[in-house]
Amino acid sequence: MMFLAISRNAGDPSRFLTAEAARIAELSRSGQVTRILLKTDHTGAVLLMEEPDLSAAQATIDTLPLVSAGIATFQLTSVFEPPDSDPPGSRSRSTH
């Protein structure tokens, strides 16, 4: 299953960023984290994850140093890609 994980920092993450980056790199190599984005207001991150179920996704999130330290919390939502269709914003053009 695919999950969107949205974090919120409750404190200064600075001293944990090296360990966090290393753990995210491990999860990316294993295919558990497929995309990472940072919020423009620097209050957290957004991860796209592949896990068997919600409890596995939560268990993976719990291994992040920022979560273990109580600096960040994550909200998990299961998501899916829509069936093949035109990309958003495009219009099918018919020729007559």
Side-chain angles (χ1 to χ4, degrees):
M1 293 180 70
M2 195 179 326
F3 292 92
L4 189 64
I6 302 172
S7 76
R8 181 84 182 155
N9 293 339
D12 182 6
S14 299
R15 66 180 230 217
F16 299 97
L17 292 181
T18 300
E20 186 81 0
R23 182 64 183 134
I24 291 291
E26 290 172 3
L27 295 171
S28 294
R29 283 191 298 275
S30 72
Q32 292 168 278
V33 171
T34 59
R35 186 90 193 254
I36 180 168
L37 303 167
L38 299 177
K39 294 180 180 179
T40 57
D41 63 3
H42 304 284
T43 61
V46 178
L47 308 177
L48 189 59
M49 303 175 67
E50 284 286 343
E51 292 287 354
D53 55 38
L54 181 60
S55 62
Q58 186 62 58
T60 297
I61 289 297
D62 290 344
T63 69
L64 296 173
L66 288 176
V67 173
S68 299
I71 301 294
T73 57
F74 277 83
Q75 177 184 3
L76 290 166
T77 303
S78 61
V79 295
F80 67 96
E81 292 185 53
D84 289 338
S85 61
D86 290 334
S90 71
R91 295 179 184 240
S92 297
R93 296 179 191 213
S94 59
T95 56
H96 295 286

